[in-house]
Amino acid sequence: MLHPKYRWESLSSDVKASRLLADSLDISPLLATLLVSRGIGNPKEAELFLSGTMKDQHDPMLLSGMKEAVPRIRRAVETGERILIYGDYDADGVSSITLMIYLMRRLGATYDYYIPHRTKEGYGLHIPALEEFHQRGFTLVITVDTGISAVEQIAFANKIGMDVIVTDHHEPPAVLPEAYSLINPKLPFCPYPFKGLAGVGVAYKLAEALLGEQTPVEWTELAALGTIADLMPLTGENRMIVKSGLASMARSAFPGMTALLGTAGWSNGEVTSTSVAFGLAPRINASGRMSHANRAVALLTAESLDEAEIIAEELDVLNKERQLLVEHILEEALLQLEEQAGRNDLPRVIVVAGKGWNAGVVGIVASKLLERYYRPTIVLGINPETGESKGSARSIPGFDIYEALTECEDLLDHFGGHPSAAGMSLNCNKLDDFSLRLNKFADGLLNPEHFVPVMQTDLDCSLQDISLQAIEQIESLAPFGMANSCPRLLIRDVKLLECRQIGKDGKHLKLLLGQNGHTVEAVAFGKGELAPLLSEQAVLDLVAEAGINEWNGSRKPQLIIQDLSVSHLQVFDYRGSRNPAAQLEDLKGKLMNIPACGTGNPAVVANHSSKFLSDCDLKDMAVWVYDKEVGVIPGNTLAKAGDVNEVRTLFVLELPESSEGWSRMLAEFSMLERVYLLHPMRSSHEIIEMPSRDHFKLVYSLLRRTDMSAFKEDELVSALVKRTGWSKRMLELTLGVFEELGFIDRDSGKITVNPTPSKRPLESSSRYRELGLLAEMEQMLLRARVPEITEWMLTRIQGAS
């Protein structure tokens, strides 16, 4: 078996509504089904979703505060006031700052911009910065992607004569700042129909309000970058903005955008939301995390490609350094968690902190811990000199982390964010109270089911359905991202034809899948560790996204696997390994920490006097030995302390001496999910085959031809081996059948043929029946292929149950 990482839940499908939508818009039933399952069943809404453009956007003047902000900015431009653009250091903030710079240039304003240093200052408006710009004669501040919580700072600005226009998209606090204008679609009194704009989306709306139809279409590139990077829903207006921006990026007017795309590996063709999310956003964010976000702004405002390429290379280097730093902090955080508690005893909300941890990357570490443990996670870096802790939070559905932080606001110096992600700062002396308070708040909200991640699937289909035409229809739903993910296809009962690890350190899997005569190639990114858990011709259930693989002019369907499972017992073939002890150690190291193995304990099984038990280091594994009467008995202290029903993974070091021993063993290990065959292969002179009735007649006739005196058994067996070509072991077992039937007598190592035996059928001999079963077992476990062994074992298990 292979356990899925997620609990799969299919989106509801309304066949009638899908048919009506398909007829209404003249689209394929597949596309109509996908739209309806996503709640877009109204023809007008569906047409807007599929074909909406920037012309279908809402009037920016519907945003509360816009009618006050526009004339104030125009007045400032006309009178030559100095305008300060104040933003955030993440990709959304950088995109917003950049867009406002282009806006100020277009308006002919006198301006400057400021982004606080992520680790030295932290998020939000800061009074010292406002003071500095006030002394330099700045009288108007426009915030982007920040400011909605800056009550104290904006009160200070008012006091010294600076007007503040806030453009933001974060959750508004209970007490709002008394700014000249507040522009945020999430304000409870704001009538703007679409609430999901990114910070840069709000900034873009301000530009539209000031420029109208003269707003350059290429500015949507900046809006798309920030929207995707900040994980905003790609629905409604965001979808239109991102579609426009991605189309423009392919022929970008910004040298910085072109240079950054090149650094991320893009050369030409379509730019996708994935290109932005995994290529551009991390490099933009690396500037603010590892240095200062001003370098990212310098890139996006560069006027020549030569200048842009130099800065893009800088950001690429910073991103590589960021990746190394994240891995280092992640290792320390995992050690800290292991010291706090075992995995089963993790708190409902994880809080870890470390001295010297770079506050610029703790959010990434929090995301990685959440992915591993699937529970709300907060990671903080502690300044060893000041004791200040700055951190980032990532949360799961059902737990609003911003609401949770609000419950702890008396402990916090500052906080802000969304239901799924937030930032905060507090003194390190308050960390214990902070963790206790968060977990107490979580006690009333989080149940065990919250800690099992859910993956929604859009369609149940077969490999036959994965055609180029179907994939092209699916791609009409792009751009994909938050709230509009690439459709996930649930495909059951697919046979694994080929599987190999690819990429650096075998990090990924490449599979060939088959079903009812149809084959499709698939890639599972980041799932290379599952290779030892996928047996030959295993039957898979999987959730995948469909794409088109283009290579050398050839186009063919390809699946991108998101999750997979195997629901049957699996058998893995390591028979005849030259060094089974080393093979066992290697497999243990690969398997024991993989969540897909599920719960339960691994074990090995061998014979009583096995040399493997002395050759292998089995101190940390339960050892069981074959027993003909009860199946298996404990072979070490771990087995004695354990339970056969807890064994999910079994390593077979040796075969038993009887088929009954094998059958009873399988019956005892009733919860087996995977069996690794490491037993040695028998030499040809030891192999047993099920003799036919004619074979028995041949041996018996050879015995009758001898005189009736007693023969030494070993001499007789040697003679019969030469005459029959059978193995010595098989002949010895055959003689046992003759003995049971009364055809021969055995006494003190000698054999005498009975001249007048009673006529008894072969089938009446228990040894004959055992010989047949033993031959079947050994033929199967020594010679058969894994699929045949798997089917045979499943049959035996079902028979035993």
Side-chain angles (χ1 to χ4, degrees), residues 26-53:
D26 193 23
I27 59 177
S28 70
L30 171 67
L31 186 57
T33 300
L34 288 169
L35 287 166
V36 169
S37 68
R38 293 173 182 224
I40 311 172
N42 180 284
K44 186 176 181 180
E45 290 179 4
E47 187 170 19
L48 186 64
F49 184 89
L50 293 172
S51 308
T53 68

PDB file of all heavy atoms in Angstrom, residues 26-53:
ATOM      1  N   ASP A  26     -22.102  27.273 -26.019  1.00  0.00           N
ATOM      2  CA  ASP A  26     -21.506  26.465 -27.093  1.00  0.00           C
ATOM      3  C   ASP A  26     -20.070  26.080 -26.735  1.00  0.00           C
ATOM      4  O   ASP A  26     -19.126  26.285 -27.509  1.00  0.00           O
ATOM      5  CB  ASP A  26     -21.536  27.229 -28.425  1.00  0.00           C
ATOM      6  CG  ASP A  26     -21.214  26.307 -29.614  1.00  0.00           C
ATOM      7  OD1 ASP A  26     -21.411  25.081 -29.474  1.00  0.00           O
ATOM      8  OD2 ASP A  26     -20.735  26.817 -30.646  1.00  0.00           O
ATOM      9  N   ILE A  27     -19.927  25.533 -25.545  1.00  0.00           N
ATOM     10  CA  ILE A  27     -18.618  25.053 -25.099  1.00  0.00           C
ATOM     11  C   ILE A  27     -18.715  23.547 -24.849  1.00  0.00           C
ATOM     12  O   ILE A  27     -19.809  22.976 -24.825  1.00  0.00           O
ATOM     13  CB  ILE A  27     -18.135  25.772 -23.821  1.00  0.00           C
ATOM     14  CG1 ILE A  27     -19.140  25.576 -22.671  1.00  0.00           C
ATOM     15  CG2 ILE A  27     -17.897  27.247 -24.087  1.00  0.00           C
ATOM     16  CD1 ILE A  27     -18.704  26.197 -21.356  1.00  0.00           C
ATOM     17  N   SER A  28     -17.597  22.908 -24.649  1.00  0.00           N
ATOM     18  CA  SER A  28     -17.587  21.456 -24.476  1.00  0.00           C
ATOM     19  C   SER A  28     -18.193  21.066 -23.129  1.00  0.00           C
ATOM     20  O   SER A  28     -18.136  21.843 -22.169  1.00  0.00           O
ATOM     21  CB  SER A  28     -16.151  20.927 -24.545  1.00  0.00           C
ATOM     22  OG  SER A  28     -15.423  21.328 -23.393  1.00  0.00           O
ATOM     23  N   PRO A  29     -18.785  19.880 -23.048  1.00  0.00           N
ATOM     24  CA  PRO A  29     -19.318  19.403 -21.761  1.00  0.00           C
ATOM     25  C   PRO A  29     -18.237  19.360 -20.671  1.00  0.00           C
ATOM     26  O   PRO A  29     -18.524  19.625 -19.507  1.00  0.00           O
ATOM     27  CB  PRO A  29     -19.834  17.997 -22.095  1.00  0.00           C
ATOM     28  CG  PRO A  29     -20.132  18.035 -23.554  1.00  0.00           C
ATOM     29  CD  PRO A  29     -19.089  18.938 -24.144  1.00  0.00           C
ATOM     30  N   LEU A  30     -17.011  19.014 -21.058  1.00  0.00           N
ATOM     31  CA  LEU A  30     -15.911  18.968 -20.092  1.00  0.00           C
ATOM     32  C   LEU A  30     -15.684  20.339 -19.473  1.00  0.00           C
ATOM     33  O   LEU A  30     -15.623  20.482 -18.242  1.00  0.00           O
ATOM     34  CB  LEU A  30     -14.637  18.488 -20.779  1.00  0.00           C
ATOM     35  CG  LEU A  30     -13.339  18.600 -19.952  1.00  0.00           C
ATOM     36  CD1 LEU A  30     -13.374  17.649 -18.775  1.00  0.00           C
ATOM     37  CD2 LEU A  30     -12.122  18.328 -20.821  1.00  0.00           C
ATOM     38  N   LEU A  31     -15.582  21.364 -20.287  1.00  0.00           N
ATOM     39  CA  LEU A  31     -15.345  22.717 -19.793  1.00  0.00           C
ATOM     40  C   LEU A  31     -16.530  23.208 -18.968  1.00  0.00           C
ATOM     41  O   LEU A  31     -16.355  23.830 -17.912  1.00  0.00           O
ATOM     42  CB  LEU A  31     -15.080  23.659 -20.970  1.00  0.00           C
ATOM     43  CG  LEU A  31     -14.679  25.097 -20.632  1.00  0.00           C
ATOM     44  CD1 LEU A  31     -13.445  25.110 -19.750  1.00  0.00           C
ATOM     45  CD2 LEU A  31     -14.432  25.887 -21.915  1.00  0.00           C
ATOM     46  N   ALA A  32     -17.733  22.908 -19.428  1.00  0.00           N
ATOM     47  CA  ALA A  32     -18.927  23.322 -18.682  1.00  0.00           C
ATOM     48  C   ALA A  32     -18.970  22.665 -17.310  1.00  0.00           C
ATOM     49  O   ALA A  32     -19.312  23.312 -16.313  1.00  0.00           O
ATOM     50  CB  ALA A  32     -20.185  22.968 -19.480  1.00  0.00           C
ATOM     51  N   THR A  33     -18.615  21.388 -17.248  1.00  0.00           N
ATOM     52  CA  THR A  33     -18.596  20.677 -15.961  1.00  0.00           C
ATOM     53  C   THR A  33     -17.606  21.320 -14.998  1.00  0.00           C
ATOM     54  O   THR A  33     -17.894  21.489 -13.808  1.00  0.00           O
ATOM     55  CB  THR A  33     -18.234  19.198 -16.181  1.00  0.00           C
ATOM     56  OG1 THR A  33     -19.205  18.607 -17.041  1.00  0.00           O
ATOM     57  CG2 THR A  33     -18.220  18.444 -14.857  1.00  0.00           C
ATOM     58  N   LEU A  34     -16.430  21.673 -15.508  1.00  0.00           N
ATOM     59  CA  LEU A  34     -15.414  22.301 -14.663  1.00  0.00           C
ATOM     60  C   LEU A  34     -15.887  23.656 -14.139  1.00  0.00           C
ATOM     61  O   LEU A  34     -15.675  23.994 -12.977  1.00  0.00           O
ATOM     62  CB  LEU A  34     -14.113  22.472 -15.448  1.00  0.00           C
ATOM     63  CG  LEU A  34     -13.341  21.178 -15.726  1.00  0.00           C
ATOM     64  CD1 LEU A  34     -12.224  21.426 -16.727  1.00  0.00           C
ATOM     65  CD2 LEU A  34     -12.786  20.603 -14.432  1.00  0.00           C
ATOM     66  N   LEU A  35     -16.550  24.422 -14.982  1.00  0.00           N
ATOM     67  CA  LEU A  35     -17.056  25.733 -14.557  1.00  0.00           C
ATOM     68  C   LEU A  35     -18.136  25.582 -13.491  1.00  0.00           C
ATOM     69  O   LEU A  35     -18.111  26.260 -12.461  1.00  0.00           O
ATOM     70  CB  LEU A  35     -17.593  26.503 -15.766  1.00  0.00           C
ATOM     71  CG  LEU A  35     -16.543  27.064 -16.724  1.00  0.00           C
ATOM     72  CD1 LEU A  35     -17.188  27.487 -18.034  1.00  0.00           C
ATOM     73  CD2 LEU A  35     -15.807  28.237 -16.092  1.00  0.00           C
ATOM     74  N   VAL A  36     -19.061  24.674 -13.729  1.00  0.00           N
ATOM     75  CA  VAL A  36     -20.163  24.488 -12.776  1.00  0.00           C
ATOM     76  C   VAL A  36     -19.632  23.996 -11.439  1.00  0.00           C
ATOM     77  O   VAL A  36     -20.075  24.451 -10.375  1.00  0.00           O
ATOM     78  CB  VAL A  36     -21.203  23.504 -13.351  1.00  0.00           C
ATOM     79  CG1 VAL A  36     -22.217  23.096 -12.280  1.00  0.00           C
ATOM     80  CG2 VAL A  36     -21.919  24.138 -14.535  1.00  0.00           C
ATOM     81  N   SER A  37     -18.682  23.073 -11.467  1.00  0.00           N
ATOM     82  CA  SER A  37     -18.140  22.545 -10.212  1.00  0.00           C
ATOM     83  C   SER A  37     -17.416  23.626  -9.412  1.00  0.00           C
ATOM     84  O   SER A  37     -17.259  23.508  -8.205  1.00  0.00           O
ATOM     85  CB  SER A  37     -17.188  21.377 -10.495  1.00  0.00           C
ATOM     86  OG  SER A  37     -16.019  21.822 -11.140  1.00  0.00           O
ATOM     87  N   ARG A  38     -16.995  24.701 -10.087  1.00  0.00           N
ATOM     88  CA  ARG A  38     -16.331  25.815  -9.405  1.00  0.00           C
ATOM     89  C   ARG A  38     -17.298  26.935  -9.053  1.00  0.00           C
ATOM     90  O   ARG A  38     -16.883  28.034  -8.694  1.00  0.00           O
ATOM     91  CB  ARG A  38     -15.193  26.355 -10.282  1.00  0.00           C
ATOM     92  CG  ARG A  38     -14.070  25.349 -10.423  1.00  0.00           C
ATOM     93  CD  ARG A  38     -12.993  25.758 -11.403  1.00  0.00           C
ATOM     94  NE  ARG A  38     -12.021  24.674 -11.462  1.00  0.00           N
ATOM     95  CZ  ARG A  38     -10.714  24.850 -11.442  1.00  0.00           C
ATOM     96  NH1 ARG A  38     -10.203  26.056 -11.378  1.00  0.00           N
ATOM     97  NH2 ARG A  38      -9.904  23.817 -11.487  1.00  0.00           N
ATOM     98  N   GLY A  39     -18.591  26.640  -9.181  1.00  0.00           N
ATOM     99  CA  GLY A  39     -19.586  27.628  -8.786  1.00  0.00           C
ATOM    100  C   GLY A  39     -19.872  28.671  -9.841  1.00  0.00           C
ATOM    101  O   GLY A  39     -20.451  29.718  -9.545  1.00  0.00           O
ATOM    102  N   ILE A  40     -19.463  28.415 -11.075  1.00  0.00           N
ATOM    103  CA  ILE A  40     -19.690  29.387 -12.153  1.00  0.00           C
ATOM    104  C   ILE A  40     -20.672  28.766 -13.130  1.00  0.00           C
ATOM    105  O   ILE A  40     -20.320  28.332 -14.234  1.00  0.00           O
ATOM    106  CB  ILE A  40     -18.361  29.753 -12.855  1.00  0.00           C
ATOM    107  CG1 ILE A  40     -17.295  30.115 -11.830  1.00  0.00           C
ATOM    108  CG2 ILE A  40     -18.554  30.922 -13.820  1.00  0.00           C
ATOM    109  CD1 ILE A  40     -15.916  30.309 -12.415  1.00  0.00           C
ATOM    110  N   GLY A  41     -21.910  28.673 -12.718  1.00  0.00           N
ATOM    111  CA  GLY A  41     -22.930  28.041 -13.540  1.00  0.00           C
ATOM    112  C   GLY A  41     -23.788  29.011 -14.310  1.00  0.00           C
ATOM    113  O   GLY A  41     -24.449  28.641 -15.281  1.00  0.00           O
ATOM    114  N   ASN A  42     -23.785  30.272 -13.899  1.00  0.00           N
ATOM    115  CA  ASN A  42     -24.556  31.298 -14.604  1.00  0.00           C
ATOM    116  C   ASN A  42     -23.855  31.632 -15.928  1.00  0.00           C
ATOM    117  O   ASN A  42     -22.661  31.937 -15.935  1.00  0.00           O
ATOM    118  CB  ASN A  42     -24.655  32.550 -13.732  1.00  0.00           C
ATOM    119  CG  ASN A  42     -25.433  33.656 -14.394  1.00  0.00           C
ATOM    120  OD1 ASN A  42     -24.921  34.318 -15.286  1.00  0.00           O
ATOM    121  ND2 ASN A  42     -26.665  33.867 -13.944  1.00  0.00           N
ATOM    122  N   PRO A  43     -24.577  31.565 -17.052  1.00  0.00           N
ATOM    123  CA  PRO A  43     -23.929  31.802 -18.361  1.00  0.00           C
ATOM    124  C   PRO A  43     -23.205  33.145 -18.445  1.00  0.00           C
ATOM    125  O   PRO A  43     -22.120  33.228 -19.020  1.00  0.00           O
ATOM    126  CB  PRO A  43     -25.095  31.734 -19.348  1.00  0.00           C
ATOM    127  CG  PRO A  43     -26.090  30.840 -18.683  1.00  0.00           C
ATOM    128  CD  PRO A  43     -25.981  31.142 -17.210  1.00  0.00           C
ATOM    129  N   LYS A  44     -23.799  34.183 -17.874  1.00  0.00           N
ATOM    130  CA  LYS A  44     -23.168  35.503 -17.944  1.00  0.00           C
ATOM    131  C   LYS A  44     -21.859  35.511 -17.154  1.00  0.00           C
ATOM    132  O   LYS A  44     -20.830  36.037 -17.604  1.00  0.00           O
ATOM    133  CB  LYS A  44     -24.130  36.563 -17.404  1.00  0.00           C
ATOM    134  CG  LYS A  44     -23.631  37.985 -17.563  1.00  0.00           C
ATOM    135  CD  LYS A  44     -24.673  38.987 -17.100  1.00  0.00           C
ATOM    136  CE  LYS A  44     -24.163  40.413 -17.280  1.00  0.00           C
ATOM    137  NZ  LYS A  44     -25.177  41.418 -16.821  1.00  0.00           N
ATOM    138  N   GLU A  45     -21.890  34.911 -15.950  1.00  0.00           N
ATOM    139  CA  GLU A  45     -20.679  34.836 -15.135  1.00  0.00           C
ATOM    140  C   GLU A  45     -19.615  33.988 -15.820  1.00  0.00           C
ATOM    141  O   GLU A  45     -18.423  34.313 -15.800  1.00  0.00           O
ATOM    142  CB  GLU A  45     -21.006  34.240 -13.766  1.00  0.00           C
ATOM    143  CG  GLU A  45     -21.827  35.130 -12.860  1.00  0.00           C
ATOM    144  CD  GLU A  45     -22.131  34.460 -11.535  1.00  0.00           C
ATOM    145  OE1 GLU A  45     -21.636  33.337 -11.306  1.00  0.00           O
ATOM    146  OE2 GLU A  45     -22.870  35.050 -10.734  1.00  0.00           O
ATOM    147  N   ALA A  46     -20.045  32.871 -16.405  1.00  0.00           N
ATOM    148  CA  ALA A  46     -19.101  31.979 -17.070  1.00  0.00           C
ATOM    149  C   ALA A  46     -18.453  32.663 -18.267  1.00  0.00           C
ATOM    150  O   ALA A  46     -17.246  32.532 -18.495  1.00  0.00           O
ATOM    151  CB  ALA A  46     -19.813  30.706 -17.509  1.00  0.00           C
ATOM    152  N   GLU A  47     -19.259  33.400 -19.049  1.00  0.00           N
ATOM    153  CA  GLU A  47     -18.705  34.098 -20.211  1.00  0.00           C
ATOM    154  C   GLU A  47     -17.705  35.164 -19.769  1.00  0.00           C
ATOM    155  O   GLU A  47     -16.654  35.346 -20.391  1.00  0.00           O
ATOM    156  CB  GLU A  47     -19.835  34.729 -21.026  1.00  0.00           C
ATOM    157  CG  GLU A  47     -19.359  35.316 -22.333  1.00  0.00           C
ATOM    158  CD  GLU A  47     -20.513  35.722 -23.233  1.00  0.00           C
ATOM    159  OE1 GLU A  47     -21.646  35.889 -22.729  1.00  0.00           O
ATOM    160  OE2 GLU A  47     -20.288  35.851 -24.446  1.00  0.00           O
ATOM    161  N   LEU A  48     -18.020  35.864 -18.678  1.00  0.00           N
ATOM    162  CA  LEU A  48     -17.102  36.873 -18.146  1.00  0.00           C
ATOM    163  C   LEU A  48     -15.818  36.210 -17.655  1.00  0.00           C
ATOM    164  O   LEU A  48     -14.715  36.729 -17.859  1.00  0.00           O
ATOM    165  CB  LEU A  48     -17.771  37.634 -17.000  1.00  0.00           C
ATOM    166  CG  LEU A  48     -16.988  38.837 -16.430  1.00  0.00           C
ATOM    167  CD1 LEU A  48     -16.824  39.915 -17.489  1.00  0.00           C
ATOM    168  CD2 LEU A  48     -17.718  39.411 -15.216  1.00  0.00           C
ATOM    169  N   PHE A  49     -15.963  35.045 -17.025  1.00  0.00           N
ATOM    170  CA  PHE A  49     -14.787  34.321 -16.533  1.00  0.00           C
ATOM    171  C   PHE A  49     -13.890  33.910 -17.693  1.00  0.00           C
ATOM    172  O   PHE A  49     -12.663  34.043 -17.628  1.00  0.00           O
ATOM    173  CB  PHE A  49     -15.234  33.091 -15.744  1.00  0.00           C
ATOM    174  CG  PHE A  49     -14.112  32.318 -15.117  1.00  0.00           C
ATOM    175  CD1 PHE A  49     -13.666  32.637 -13.841  1.00  0.00           C
ATOM    176  CD2 PHE A  49     -13.491  31.277 -15.792  1.00  0.00           C
ATOM    177  CE1 PHE A  49     -12.629  31.931 -13.252  1.00  0.00           C
ATOM    178  CE2 PHE A  49     -12.458  30.563 -15.203  1.00  0.00           C
ATOM    179  CZ  PHE A  49     -12.026  30.895 -13.936  1.00  0.00           C
ATOM    180  N   LEU A  50     -14.484  33.400 -18.763  1.00  0.00           N
ATOM    181  CA  LEU A  50     -13.701  32.892 -19.884  1.00  0.00           C
ATOM    182  C   LEU A  50     -13.179  34.003 -20.787  1.00  0.00           C
ATOM    183  O   LEU A  50     -12.071  33.898 -21.327  1.00  0.00           O
ATOM    184  CB  LEU A  50     -14.548  31.923 -20.718  1.00  0.00           C
ATOM    185  CG  LEU A  50     -14.942  30.606 -20.048  1.00  0.00           C
ATOM    186  CD1 LEU A  50     -15.932  29.845 -20.919  1.00  0.00           C
ATOM    187  CD2 LEU A  50     -13.717  29.750 -19.767  1.00  0.00           C
ATOM    188  N   SER A  51     -13.957  35.066 -20.947  1.00  0.00           N
ATOM    189  CA  SER A  51     -13.628  36.060 -21.977  1.00  0.00           C
ATOM    190  C   SER A  51     -13.476  37.476 -21.443  1.00  0.00           C
ATOM    191  O   SER A  51     -13.273  38.410 -22.228  1.00  0.00           O
ATOM    192  CB  SER A  51     -14.723  36.061 -23.063  1.00  0.00           C
ATOM    193  OG  SER A  51     -14.956  34.763 -23.550  1.00  0.00           O
ATOM    194  N   GLY A  52     -13.567  37.652 -20.122  1.00  0.00           N
ATOM    195  CA  GLY A  52     -13.483  38.993 -19.557  1.00  0.00           C
ATOM    196  C   GLY A  52     -12.139  39.660 -19.837  1.00  0.00           C
ATOM    197  O   GLY A  52     -11.096  39.015 -19.851  1.00  0.00           O
ATOM    198  N   THR A  53     -12.174  40.980 -20.072  1.00  0.00           N
ATOM    199  CA  THR A  53     -10.962  41.764 -20.331  1.00  0.00           C
ATOM    200  C   THR A  53     -10.897  42.927 -19.356  1.00  0.00           C
ATOM    201  O   THR A  53     -11.787  43.118 -18.521  1.00  0.00           O
ATOM    202  CB  THR A  53     -10.962  42.307 -21.772  1.00  0.00           C
ATOM    203  OG1 THR A  53     -11.998  43.288 -21.900  1.00  0.00           O
ATOM    204  CG2 THR A  53     -11.187  41.172 -22.772  1.00  0.00           C
TER     205      THR A  53
END
